[in-house]
Each structure stands twice: as structure tokens, then as C-alpha cells.
Amino acid sequence: MILPGFLYFVAFKYLPMGGLIIAFKDYQPFLGLGGSPWVGLKHFERLFAEPTFLMLLRNTIVLFLMDVLLVFPLPILFALLLNEARARRFRNAVQTLLYLPHFMSWVIIVSIFYVFLSVDGGVVNEALASVGLPRIDFLTSPEWLRFMYIGQIIWKELGWSTIIFIAAISAVDPQLYEAADMDGASRLRKMWHVTLPAIRPVIITLLILKIGHTLDLGFEHMYLLLNSINREVAEIFDTYIYTAGLKNGQLSYSTTIGLFKGLVGLALVMLANRLAKKMGEDGVY
């Protein structure tokens, strides 16, 4: 049972790491890995000297912080609320409806938002116009891009992200709730003093793992939203790697950016894990 997963990680996660060597070379495909000349830290120096570096760093960190502050707590809250629902059919129906968007691709999600938010014929703008309010160009406006990005993540992943928290809540010892009932605790008090402390290790672990993706927000979603008008707030490291590596053929430079992202993620995971252990938590390792 372990073998397929093991082979997947070896083939797609560990073996490709050998290609990171081209970050320190001026890679030419016809010369190959061995024949391409070494350039040391040339590409790293270029990355940090590029005028776009600060823009990429700012956009990526802002979106990550919005994700952590606005998206990460919602599955926890939703799992707590579902746990309090007594009607099993209602709970199952709500879970099923919120799980469905997870199985849609980002192309479908963004297309649905396009239909609802477009200036010409969009449902939202038609409703605004019908009450005398001005139309809003959600799809190209830099001011709305980040909130639309976060809103799409919430809609797509909220239901699916609750699964692990619901599983953690189901493992809480029922005797803790019985003791709280004997003390006269309300449902809100039990939620705050029993359920949340019991699932805190799971929350801390997932938060540490999420911190490792600070600079790794994913390519497909933002690429579908990116355009020349909102580029100043929408361009992130993942989309820039695609532009530099595949469109412009700068394979060594794009590999350098990817390596930089990975090193930052590793450092942040180690730091977050160390802080968690100092706070008395188990951490990831």
C-alpha cells in the first residue's frame, strides 16, 4: 500500500531535485547539464537586483497573509458549527454542497466568477445597475483582485478543508463533554474550553505546514486572473517563473526563483516548528 505513494514522491518530488543544479549554471539545452558552464550565484544576484523582485515579494506575502488570516480559520469555525448541528441529514447535506466546488478545476471556478462579475451582462453588475449604482469592473480592477482571489479559494476549498478538523473533533473524548455538562457549561463554553484545546495540535501542525507555502501560492489560479491591468498586484513568484522559464526560455533563472522559494519555505517551517515546541506544542517533527 505504501509503494505507489513512495514511487510518486521519488519520481515527482526527489528525482527532479537533481535539476536544481542548473540554478548555478548558464543552462543550454543542447549542451546538457554536464556541458553547460558554471556561473555560481549569478542568477541569484540577478533575482535580488531585479526591479520586479520587491513587487513579487510584496504581492506573494500579502496574498499569503490574507490566506492565513481570512481562509485558514474558516474551516475550523465551520467544523465547530457542523459538530454542533444535531440534524444528521442537514449536516450531511451542507457538507456535500460545500465539498462539490473542490472537485472543480480553477478554470471552471474562475469562469463562474467571470459570468457573475463581468461588466457586460454579469449578474452582480446588472443588479447594481438596476438599483442605480455604478458598475464595478471586478475582473480587471487591481483593488478587487486580492479579495476576489481569496473569495474563490474560500468557495472552492472551505468544505474540503473541514474534513480533517471534523475528524479531529470526532476523536475528542466524550467524557470531557460530560464533565463540562456536569459543571453547567453551555455549548459555546464547551466549544471554547473542550473542543478547541483538544484539536489544537492539529491546528498547529496544519499552520506550520501552511507557513512552508508562504512563497508557493500555486500557478494556475492566479494565472487565470492575471492580466496587464492588475499585474502590479497579481504577479507572484509562481506566474513569474512561468513567464521567465517557459515563455522567455530563461530556464536557469526560473529554476533559481523556484529554489529560492523552496529554501524560504524550508527555513520558515523550521522556524515555525521551533516556536511551536517552545510554546509546548508537538510540532511537525
Side-chain angles (χ1 to χ4, degrees):
M1 293 178 63
I2 296 175
L3 184 60
F6 174 77
L7 294 177
Y8 166 80
F9 280 100
V10 169
F12 295 102
K13 300 296 183 181
Y14 288 99
L15 289 181
M17 292 181 68
L20 293 175
I21 192 175
I22 69 175
F24 305 96
K25 289 191 168 191
D26 188 7
Y27 178 68
Q28 303 295 329
F30 58 87
L31 294 177
L33 286 176
S36 299
W38 290 92
V39 294
L41 301 177
K42 171 186 173 182
H43 300 299
F44 287 93
E45 294 173 356
R46 176 190 168 186
L47 172 62
F48 299 135
E50 282 279 353
T52 56
F53 175 74
L54 291 180
M55 178 192 72
L56 296 172
L57 187 63
R58 182 192 68 236
N59 293 343
T60 304
I61 291 180
V62 168
L63 288 173
F64 172 76
L65 291 176
M66 292 179 69
D67 191 352
V68 170
L69 296 176
L70 300 179
V71 180
F72 184 77
L74 288 181
I76 304 172
L77 177 61
F78 184 66
L80 292 173
L81 295 176
L82 278 180
N83 184 60
E84 295 299 319
R86 295 292 180 251
R88 181 181 296 272
R89 289 184 178 180
F90 171 77
R91 182 170 58 187
N92 292 340
V94 171
Q95 285 180 284
T96 301
L97 289 175
L98 288 176
Y99 289 168
L100 289 178
H102 171 78
F103 300 99
M104 301 179 186
S105 69
W106 280 117
V107 175
I108 296 176
I109 297 294
V110 174
S111 298
I112 292 174
F113 270 72
Y114 177 83
V115 172
F116 276 88
L117 300 178
S118 62
V119 177
D120 299 324
V123 175
V124 175
N125 276 303
E126 289 298 326
L128 292 174
S130 66
V131 296
L133 296 176
R135 297 175 183 268
I136 302 175
D137 194 355
F138 294 100
L139 301 175
T140 59
S141 174
E143 292 79 12
W144 287 97
L145 182 279
R146 289 168 177 161
F147 294 100
M148 185 167 59
Y149 174 86
I150 294 299
Q152 291 170 357
I153 294 177
I154 293 174
W155 185 48
K156 187 176 189 296
E157 301 297 346
L158 173 60
W160 189 258
S161 300
T162 61
I163 292 177
I164 190 168
F165 295 111
I166 292 175
I169 291 174
S170 65
V172 179
D173 189 351
Q175 293 183 357
L176 297 176
Y177 294 109
E178 294 173 2
D181 287 331
M182 295 180 63
D183 289 336
S186 64
R187 296 174 68 176
L188 184 60
R189 285 289 184 181
K190 287 187 289 185
M191 187 187 303
W192 183 259
H193 294 288
V194 177
T195 309
L196 275 177
I199 67 173
R200 185 171 60 187
V202 176
I203 297 174
I204 296 297
T205 300
L206 293 179
L207 181 59
I208 293 173
L209 294 176
K210 192 173 188 64
I211 288 175
H213 294 276
T214 300
L215 301 183
D216 187 17
L217 301 180
F219 162 76
E220 182 182 4
H221 183 195
M222 184 54 78
Y223 185 73
L224 294 169
L225 297 174
L226 180 65
N227 56 60
S228 58
I229 300 177
N230 61 22
R231 180 178 179 273
E232 286 297 320
V233 296
E235 188 82 270
I236 57 177
F237 284 107
D238 299 282
T239 57
Y240 189 69
I241 288 174
Y242 171 78
T243 302
L246 296 182
K247 282 190 173 183
N248 299 333
Q250 303 174 28
L251 300 179
S252 291
Y253 181 54
S254 61
T255 302
T256 299
I257 302 173
L259 180 57
F260 168 72
K261 286 171 44 187
L263 292 175
V264 170
L266 175 62
L268 290 176
V269 166
M270 296 177 65
L271 177 61
N273 189 77
R274 187 172 181 179
L275 290 176
K277 286 185 172 294
K278 285 189 174 182
M279 296 170 61
E281 302 295 337
D282 293 333
V284 178
Y285 59 89

